[in-house]
Every structure is written in C-alpha cells, then in structure tokens.
Amino acid sequence: MLRRRIDNTMVKAIARAFRWRAMLENGKHATIAEIAAAEKINESYVGRVLRPTLLAPDIVEAILGGRQPAKMTLTVLMRPFAVAWTDQQKTLISCLPRSMARLDAIV
C-alpha cells in the first residue's frame, strides 16, 4: 500500500501553472513574458512552471492526492518530459516500486 504524501510545493506549483495557463487562454496575458512581468518573476521560471499543465490528468490527480512516487518531485516536473500521456505514464510507472504493476494502482 502506498502512503499518501501530499507535497504542498508541487500542489502549489500545479495550481499556479493552471492559473497562468488560464490567463493565457482567456487573453488576460498574451505571452509568458507578460505573465512574468505581471508576477515580477523570471520568464524562464514561468515557462518551467507551466510544464505540469501538459501532464496526463491521472498524473495530476495522483499528485494532488499525494499518491505520486517519492522520486517525483517539483524539480522532476519542471524538467522537460514527454508530451504524450502514455509516455508520461510509462515514465511514472518506472518510478514505482516493483510490487506495483499498473498506474491505476496509485490513482
């Protein structure tokens, strides 16, 4: 059984990422540079924080529920990763203990 461990840092980053994506989608800001200027933060940081908005929904749900593998950290999420959800899930499975064969064991 996997212990739930909610990582507040990752949860806050995901919330921020989806808020920023909504700002881009609804036209409040047209670019990452505009968001960075409005938030008074580095443009490259905004770009990295936006990456989790490309995660498969079940992976986001696992993180929000504290069911992510221990190896999955904010640092890992801010690195480039596969855009295809099936590829992301394979990567996630590789982080899991051998006793868990499928992603739905954690979500």
Side-chain angles (χ1 to χ4, degrees):
M1 180 178 198
L2 190 64
R3 281 187 34 213
R4 290 182 185 249
R5 180 187 50 82
I6 295 176
D7 183 325
N8 289 326
T9 305
M10 279 202 299
V11 170
K12 287 177 186 178
I14 288 172
R16 177 181 273 181
F18 279 94
R19 182 173 62 88
W20 289 345
R21 186 175 93 178
M23 289 176 175
L24 290 169
E25 290 174 346
N26 69 25
K28 181 172 182 179
H29 295 293
T31 65
I32 289 173
E34 286 183 18
I35 291 173
E39 301 278 334
K40 296 179 177 72
I41 55 177
N42 186 290
E43 188 175 330
S44 67
Y45 175 76
V46 174
R48 288 190 312 273
V49 170
L50 280 168
R51 285 188 184 126
T53 65
L54 302 174
L55 286 171
D58 53 349
I59 295 173
V60 173
E61 288 177 21
I63 293 167
L64 297 178
R67 298 182 308 273
Q68 75 282 357
K71 292 181 183 178
M72 182 177 283
T73 64
L74 182 58
T75 302
V76 170
L77 290 181
M78 292 179 73
R79 292 184 198 140
F81 53 79
V83 176
W85 291 350
T86 54
D87 292 339
Q88 292 172 12
Q89 292 164 339
K90 288 175 191 174
T91 303
L92 179 58
I93 289 170
S94 72
C95 293
L96 293 173
R98 287 186 180 162
S99 62
M100 296 183 167
R102 298 168 15 115
L103 180 62
D104 29 322
I106 66 165
V107 294

